[in-house]
Amino acid sequence: MLLYDYFRSSAAFRVRIALALKGIAVERRFVHLLRGGGEQKQPDYLRRNPQGLVPALELDDGVVLTQSLAIIEYLEALKPEPRLIPDDPVCAAQSRAAALAIACDTHPLGNLRVVSYLETELHQGHDAIVNWRTHWATLGLAALEGLIRPAPFCFGREPNIADICLAPQVFYAERFGVPLDAFPKLRTVAAACAQHPAFVAAHPAAQPDADQAPGQAP
């Protein structure tokens, strides 16, 4: 399998965590979201993922999977252990809800294409962008604080799909200076993730493309 990846993408970060937890090795091709106006917008990549987003996972038969949570569900079916979706149906639904609260409701409002539109089309300045990021990230994190039950991970002693989404969102918050002081449960989970080998291996700073030119990415 071939993973189209970018080190600072929250969505790609999720998939890297899942791969590390599952112990699944893949080839990787790096798609720089800023170089040359964005390599994700190039025709060759758009043929694989018409959305022009990362990650994308190309299977051995040429089929390409997109959307991080769909890819994670595929990996769960491909290699059921260790489980990323709990066996208990209630805990599974709660874990998915927490993951979706981040992946669908919080993360998209601060990603590269949204911020770029605010800057280039709506002509918003630096302060307005900072306020936008802080508002939506804080709102999403506050909701998540009420959803999880750290023990020490979001819903128990082992990480699952909720933690896979939480860790990249905390990285995003720290990167853009969003305060986490009001979220003790999130900080507990983030600390547990930061010590877990799979999360360490998947962290943006540990990626081969992390020495790329700096810039704003999702």
Side-chain angles (χ1 to χ4, degrees):
M1 295 186 288
L2 174 62
L3 178 67
Y4 292 86
D5 195 3
Y6 179 65
F7 74 108
R8 270 195 310 231
S9 162
S10 293
F13 189 178
R14 296 172 202 142
V15 172
R16 293 196 303 266
I17 296 168
L19 288 166
L21 287 168
K22 292 288 189 184
I24 298 174
V26 296
E27 294 183 48
R28 294 164 69 190
R29 187 167 299 166
F30 303 111
V31 180
H32 199 291
L33 302 187
L34 298 171
R35 182 189 295 129
E39 292 176 353
Q40 74 278 16
K41 301 175 186 176
Q42 298 301 312
D44 183 59
Y45 187 70
L46 288 173
R47 281 194 291 272
R48 292 176 169 84
N49 184 357
Q51 280 192 292
L53 301 172
V54 292
L57 184 67
E58 187 170 345
L59 308 185
D60 292 339
D61 59 4
V63 171
V64 177
L65 305 180
T66 63
Q67 290 292 334
S68 62
L69 296 190
I71 293 171
I72 290 167
E73 293 268 5
Y74 169 78
L75 298 175
E76 182 84 336
L78 185 68
K79 187 178 180 182
E81 298 295 337
R83 292 199 63 82
L84 304 182
I85 309 296
D87 285 321
D88 178 78
V90 172
C91 189
Q94 291 173 324
S95 299
R96 281 191 173 98
L100 290 167
I102 297 170
C104 297
D105 297 333
T106 305
H107 163 248
L109 289 166
N111 74 4
L112 177 61
R113 59 181 182 171
V114 168
V115 172
S116 295
Y117 186 82
L118 290 171
E119 292 175 335
T120 61
E121 300 298 328
L122 300 183
H123 310 294
Q124 298 299 303
H126 172 76
D127 290 347
I129 298 298
V130 169
N131 290 339
W132 173 276
R133 287 188 189 275
T134 302
H135 172 77
W136 292 114
T138 302
L139 196 66
L141 292 172
L144 196 64
E145 179 80 2
L147 289 173
I148 64 174
R149 307 190 305 270
F153 294 100
C154 284
F155 292 99
R157 300 172 69 177
E158 299 297 331
N160 69 28
I161 195 168
D163 307 280
I164 287 171
C165 290
L166 172 63
Q169 192 63 33
V170 168
F171 169 78
Y172 170 96
E174 292 174 337
R175 182 179 168 215
F176 290 107
V178 177
L180 298 175
D181 296 346
F183 309 125
K185 290 197 288 185
L186 297 186
R187 296 200 311 273
T188 294
V189 175
C193 292
Q195 296 177 15
H196 194 291
F199 289 77
V200 173
H203 193 278
Q207 305 316 303
D209 60 330
D211 61 351
Q212 303 284 358
Q216 301 301 310

